[in-house]
């Protein structure tokens, strides 16, 4: 049987690049290892790929396509980025059309940028188009907007922008002509279906490398203090303030210590409180750390607290699985999809008053139940093994074959 042949569109693509570039590279490597022949069209000028694409594995041809750039001249950054990307896609479409005339290709998969708003120019080329996994349908929960100190206006505007995708011609054209649009969370899947998408499976945004999965979960020792870790870029929608509320509430009943890893624009708004909680022994504020320090913190933690209020996915939660680290998460959007009840306490959204108490109750429950934490740690490792890049490639190839059988 002839191998599957696919063209992957990867504006961002690098072995050691940013998150989207790295995910593209992991898809390429895993699909090639499973026998798929790939032509990868990428943009070597993409800033998130600055480290270089890397050495392609067998069965992979890399094609660096770069387009002319336009002068900025006061154009707002979002609009400038979109125009630049559309110019690049126009050139890629011409390149792909030539390649399709030269040899048989089973399908085109537009991996990155995985943007519903930007759409894909690879429609109507006579070859089935797959898009995703992509986000873009997540909104900040309206019940929590009023607790944002400085960014409520932005989040309200962003919510309206997400709603407006129904009138976006690039999005509508892509969704209606793509053979399959893979969403990275249920909210994006619902949005895609609302503008005409019919084949819209849901798949997590990221995976883990098999070599990075630990053989045993993090130790759940008999220490009387429950050690939590919170890690993220400090932005208001990541809800560090809510995490600190939960820690203070839980500390009335059990001994806990929260290690905070991260930095960003929301740090000044939390600086005094972090300093106060650190002086009381409830928090260790380490800021941004290198990977060695991050690994040390993970290895010494009992539970991850991840309570972001808006997220397509969550790299920290994937890290938690490979460490065998139980988690407490808000049950919505990407984190709600990633986390399973076998290894995470999933907190339903309610309102800004009840949610910190719900998080605190979960912290207290885990602090008092070591055996449960041990079982959750083993379940987290099992989740990681089910979400390796090899397993994800097997699943995606199955989706490819089902799609082609229906054409």
């Amino acid at each position: 049987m002839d191998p599957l042949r696919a063209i992957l569109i990867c504006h961002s693509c690098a072995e050691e690049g940013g998150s989207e570039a790295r995910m593209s590279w992991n898809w390429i490597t895993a699909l090639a290892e499973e026998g798929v022949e790939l032509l990868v069209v990428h943009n070597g000028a993409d800033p998130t790929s600055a480290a270089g694409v890397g050495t392609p594995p067998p069965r992979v041809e890399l094609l660096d396509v770069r387009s002319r750039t336009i002068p900025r001249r006061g154009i707002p950054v979002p609009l400038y980025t979109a125009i630049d990307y559309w110019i690049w896609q126009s050139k890629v479409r011409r390149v792909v059309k030539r390649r399709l005339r030269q040899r048989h290709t089973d399908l085109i998969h537009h991996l990155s940028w995985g943007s519903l708003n930007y759409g894909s120019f690879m429609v109507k080329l006579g070859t089935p188009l797959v898009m995703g996994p992509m986000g873009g349908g997540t909104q900040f929960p309206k019940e929590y907007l009023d607790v944002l100190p400085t960014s409520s206006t932005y989040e309200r505007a962003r919510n309206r922008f997400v709603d407006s995708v129904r009138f976006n011609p690039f999005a509508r054209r892509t969704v209606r002509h793509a053979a399959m649009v893979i969403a990275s969370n249920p909210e994006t899947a619902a949005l895609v279906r609302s503008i005409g998408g019919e084949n819209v499976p849901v798949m997590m945004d990221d995976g883990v490398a098999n070599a990075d999965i630990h053989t045993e979960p993090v130790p759940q020792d008999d220490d009387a203090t429950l050690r939590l870790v919170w890690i993220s870029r400090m932005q208001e929608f990541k809800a560090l303030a809510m995490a600190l509320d939960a820690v203070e509430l839980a500390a009335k009943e059990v001994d806990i210590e929260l290690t905070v890893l991260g930095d960003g624009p929301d740090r000044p708004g939390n600086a005094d409180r972090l300093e106060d909680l650190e002086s009381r022994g409830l928090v260790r504020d380490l800021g941004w750390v290198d990977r060695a320090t991050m690994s040390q913190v993970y290895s010494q933690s009992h539970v991850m607290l991840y309570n972001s209020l808006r997220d397509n996915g969550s790299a920290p939660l994937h890290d938690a699985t490979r460490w065998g680290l139980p988690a407490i998460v808000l049950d919505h959007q990407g984190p709600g999809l990633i986390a399973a009840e076998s290894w995470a306490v999933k907190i339903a959204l309610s309102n800004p008053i009840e949610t910190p108490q719900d998080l605190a109750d979960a912290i207290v429950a885990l602090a008092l139940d070591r055996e449960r934490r041990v079982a959750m740690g083993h379940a987290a490792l099992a989740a990681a093994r089910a979400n390796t890049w090899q397993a994800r490639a097997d699943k995606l190839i199955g989706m490819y074959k089902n799609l082609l059988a229906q054409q």
Side-chain angles (χ1 to χ4, degrees):
M1 181 180 294
D2 292 336
L4 273 172
R5 288 180 173 173
I7 296 176
L8 299 191
I9 310 301
C10 303
H11 185 278
S12 301
C13 176
E15 189 172 5
E16 300 293 336
S19 60
E20 192 153 14
R22 175 187 54 79
M23 284 189 277
S24 293
W25 183 259
N26 286 334
W27 274 122
I28 292 163
T29 302
L31 288 170
E33 288 176 352
E34 296 300 318
V36 182
E37 291 187 3
L38 300 172
L39 169 64
V40 178
V41 183
H42 69 102
N43 183 357
D46 175 67
T48 67
S49 307
V53 175
T55 303
R59 292 183 289 275
V60 175
E61 178 188 354
L62 295 177
L63 183 60
D64 186 354
V65 175
R66 307 188 187 197
S67 59
R68 62 182 178 86
T69 57
I70 60 173
R72 172 89 186 278
R73 291 178 181 170
I75 302 173
V77 172
L79 179 58
Y80 178 83
T81 301
I83 293 171
D84 186 64
Y85 186 51
W86 290 328
I87 292 172
W88 181 78
Q89 284 205 71
S90 295
K91 185 170 184 180
V92 169
R93 181 182 171 88
R94 295 193 294 271
V95 171
V96 169
K97 285 181 71 173
R98 286 197 298 270
R99 284 303 185 107
L100 291 175
R101 289 195 294 267
Q102 293 168 3
R103 75 169 194 171
H104 170 74
T105 299
D106 293 297
L107 56 87
I108 302 167
H109 189 161
H110 196 142
L111 269 173
S112 73
W113 294 329
S115 168
L116 182 59
N117 287 294
Y118 295 153
S120 175
F121 286 20
M122 306 308 127
V123 296
K124 303 180 74 171
L125 288 174
T127 301
L129 172 66
V130 176
M131 280 203 73
M134 67 178 183
T138 57
Q139 298 190 27
F140 193 91
K142 295 178 176 62
E143 298 82 3
Y144 296 78
L145 281 166
D146 291 336
V147 303
L148 295 173
T150 64
S151 61
S152 62
T153 299
Y154 168 80
E155 293 293 349
R156 291 177 198 275
R158 186 186 178 281
N159 284 356
R160 288 193 292 270
F161 180 73
V162 172
D163 286 333
S164 73
V165 76
R166 294 175 174 83
F167 309 104
N168 180 327
F170 296 99
R172 293 175 67 89
R173 183 170 185 265
T174 298
V175 165
R176 293 183 175 182
H177 291 289
M180 179 165 61
V181 178
I182 306 170
S184 65
N185 53 72
E187 289 79 4
T188 298
L191 183 59
V192 170
R193 294 185 186 111
S194 75
I195 58 174
E198 295 182 356
N199 187 4
V200 192
V202 178
M203 176 185 279
M204 287 186 281
D205 65 327
D206 204 353
V208 297
N210 191 59
D212 291 339
I213 302 174
H214 292 253
T215 55
E216 294 293 331
V218 293
Q220 297 291 343
D221 52 43
D222 293 321
D223 193 323
T225 300
L226 183 75
R227 295 189 295 275
L228 299 148
V229 57
W230 185 97
I231 176 171
S232 197
R233 176 167 168 76
M234 290 185 182
Q235 295 172 285
E236 285 188 2
F237 66 86
K238 295 290 187 178
L240 173 59
M242 179 185 290
L244 300 180
D245 287 341
V247 166
E248 281 204 273
L249 290 167
K252 296 175 182 178
E253 300 185 49
V254 293
D255 292 330
I256 56 175
E257 180 186 67
L258 175 71
T259 298
V260 174
L261 303 178
D263 208 344
D266 195 32
R267 172 172 284 281
N270 288 286
D272 290 344
R273 194 157 176 220
L274 284 167
E275 185 177 352
D276 173 60
L277 293 176
E278 196 161 26
S279 70
R280 292 158 54 190
L282 296 179
V283 165
R284 285 196 310 156
D285 178 18
L286 302 186
W288 278 126
V289 297
D290 57 29
R291 293 194 66 83
T293 305
M294 187 186 303
S295 295
Q296 184 181 35
V297 171
Y298 280 154
S299 69
Q300 296 173 351
S301 298
H302 298 131
V303 176
M304 175 177 286
L305 176 58
Y306 194 85
N307 60 299
S308 176
L309 285 166
R310 174 171 62 78
D311 245 322
N312 283 315
S314 169
L317 284 176
H318 291 298
D319 278 342
T321 64
R322 67 184 185 84
W323 279 93
L325 184 64
I328 299 170
V329 305
L330 296 183
D331 187 14
H332 75 143
Q333 300 181 357
L337 176 68
I338 295 166
E341 291 182 353
S342 59
W343 63 271
V345 180
K346 301 174 71 171
I347 306 298
L349 292 185
S350 53
N351 59 66
I353 296 174
E354 293 181 13
T355 301
Q357 186 62 61
D358 291 340
L359 292 169
D361 291 345
I363 293 170
V364 172
L366 291 184
L368 299 176
D369 197 342
R370 177 182 174 275
E371 290 186 5
R372 182 184 179 191
R373 299 199 311 268
V374 170
M376 292 171 73
H378 285 286
L381 288 179
R385 297 186 191 105
N387 192 44
T388 63
W389 282 101
Q390 290 77 15
R392 290 166 63 78
D394 285 341
K395 181 177 180 180
L396 183 59
I397 291 169
M399 295 163 71
Y400 285 165
K401 290 180 177 178
N402 288 338
L403 173 65
L404 294 173
Q406 297 167 11
Q407 297 299 304

